[in-house]
Amino acid sequence: MMDAKEKNWLFSIFPNEGFVDLGLYQYGWEQCEPLHSYGPHARNHYLFHYVISGTGRLQSTDSQGVTTEYQIRSGQGFLIYPKQVNTYFADRDHPWEYVWLEFDGLRAKEALELAGLTMDQPIYRSGARDLSAELMNEMLYIARHSDQSPLHLIGHLYLFMDYLTRSSASRRMMQSGKIRDFYIREAISFVEQNFQNNITVENIAGFCNLNRSYFGKIFRDAMGKSPQEFLISYRMTKAAELLKLTDLTIGDISNAVGYPSQLHFSRAFKNVYQVSPRQWRTEHKLSK
């Protein structure tokens, strides 16, 4: 049991800094009360729990909408996908103690697939006890050190992902050199170099010399989001950087990330960050 200074839980919200490849959202630790439950609920991002001690149950819907119940014990974990409805319960006699991370990003789906974790196979089982111990330690470190800088915590998130993929008993070997990966890299590179211009999904697909519908399918399969969703997310991340680091007007930033209409930009930004660009700047602007 960890020393939580008389609390049986820790909870922190990560100051979203726009980490595109891998980003944190919330994280915490809890020693649950007997029969403590959460749900039914659906998250906006990936959520991974590692059970330190005790046992509990997870009820989770799979990719076909079928609900399955899993019994989970110490040394195991469970993954919840974005938009996946789930409920979990602590045991009556041996309630679980767990640590959890909510995360997302361009590399999240790829890493989780390497670990063999999917909507249909959400249970983590260790195939290497020493590595799973390091996995737990990295998660606990993040939960206990919310006062550290965002870059510091993101570094430990990458270490968590490394231990997750290497320790999982259902780990899959990485397949390199697939033509799909080449197209995805080309598409991302095109967005990085042209996001400030009036580009469309058709432009990206055309750059890759692919049919739009086929391109959309392989992109979503690889990245977990559509090309349009990725383009918007990338633009809003760049907009947040400009809001935080510069004195450019909202209109100038709107143009700089490919939105000639400031109104359309503000709507898109609020859809991603839940606040207006002006309010986000007020809360996050770095003082000189």
Side-chain angles (χ1 to χ4, degrees):
M1 301 282 289
M2 63 180 289
D3 178 12
K5 297 182 179 179
E6 300 183 354
K7 289 196 304 183
N8 64 352
W9 55 271
L10 294 170
F11 173 76
S12 300
I13 297 176
F14 187 74
N16 193 319
E17 298 288 322
F19 295 101
V20 177
D21 281 350
L22 201 59
L24 269 172
Y25 289 85
Q26 299 177 11
Y27 46 92
W29 162 89
E30 185 169 5
Q31 172 61 69
C32 295
E33 298 294 329
L35 298 179
H36 170 77
S37 66
Y38 186 85
H41 188 70
R43 296 279 180 169
N44 292 323
H45 311 284
Y46 296 98
L47 181 67
F48 181 79
H49 289 72
Y50 181 85
V51 180
I52 300 170
S53 64
T55 65
R57 291 176 293 127
L58 168 71
Q59 293 177 349
S60 181
T61 58
D62 64 17
S63 59
Q64 304 301 314
V66 177
T67 300
T68 302
E69 182 167 299
Y70 305 89
Q71 187 75 28
I72 306 168
R73 58 177 175 77
S74 60
Q76 297 180 338
F78 59 96
L79 175 70
I80 295 167
Y81 259 62
K83 312 303 181 186
Q84 183 181 28
V85 178
N86 62 88
T87 307
Y88 39 99
F89 313 82
D91 186 72
R92 180 193 301 274
D93 300 318
H94 303 286
W96 51 16
E97 171 195 3
Y98 53 53
V99 59
W100 51 272
L101 303 177
E102 183 176 359
F103 58 90
D104 213 328
L106 301 182
R107 300 301 177 193
K109 187 171 184 287
E110 175 186 1
L112 294 169
E113 287 180 348
L114 284 176
L117 297 174
T118 66
M119 286 185 71
D120 299 333
Q121 296 178 320
I123 307 306
Y124 164 84
R125 296 178 177 86
S126 173
R129 185 172 296 180
D130 57 336
L131 295 179
S132 61
E134 294 298 333
L135 163 75
M136 180 187 72
N137 289 337
E138 290 300 333
M139 296 181 72
L140 286 172
Y141 183 92
I142 292 171
R144 292 166 168 166
H145 292 83
S146 60
D147 58 334
Q148 293 293 329
S149 72
L151 279 174
H152 184 90
L153 294 178
I154 288 294
H156 284 276
L157 179 64
Y158 273 94
L159 289 173
F160 152 76
M161 275 296 192
D162 176 59
Y163 289 125
L164 178 67
T165 56
R166 291 199 289 138
S167 67
S168 175
S170 54
R171 179 186 181 192
R172 299 174 183 172
M173 297 307 294
M174 183 181 298
Q175 296 179 352
S176 61
K178 291 190 296 185
I179 189 66
R180 185 195 73 171
D181 296 335
F182 168 77
Y183 287 132
I184 300 305
R185 287 195 298 270
E186 288 289 283
I188 292 174
S189 176
F190 182 79
V191 170
E192 290 173 339
Q193 296 175 38
N194 295 278
F195 71 91
Q196 70 276 19
N197 301 321
N198 185 27
I199 60 173
T200 64
V201 175
E202 286 81 1
N203 297 142
I204 306 172
F207 177 77
C208 297
N209 293 313
L210 293 175
N211 171 272
R212 186 190 189 284
S213 60
Y214 175 72
F215 168 69
K217 180 182 184 305
I218 65 170
F219 194 95
R220 180 180 285 278
D221 288 345
M223 307 301 293
K225 61 181 63 178
S226 72
Q228 182 67 16
E229 290 169 336
F230 173 82
L231 177 59
I232 292 172
S233 177
Y234 192 89
R235 282 171 162 166
M236 294 307 106
T237 298
K238 291 299 182 181
E241 291 177 359
L242 292 172
L243 288 166
K244 182 176 183 178
L245 302 174
T246 76
D247 294 319
L248 291 172
T249 66
I250 303 298
D252 288 340
I253 292 174
S254 174
N255 281 313
V257 297
Y259 282 83
S261 168
Q262 185 176 327
L263 177 60
H264 290 165
F265 165 70
S266 295
R267 286 175 179 169
F269 190 92
K270 191 168 185 178
N271 283 338
V272 173
Y273 289 98
Q274 285 72 58
V275 296
S276 70
R278 195 172 306 280
Q279 183 178 344
W280 197 94
R281 167 175 268 173
T282 299
E283 296 172 356
H284 296 87
K285 184 75 164 69
L286 290 180
S287 57
K288 295 181 178 180

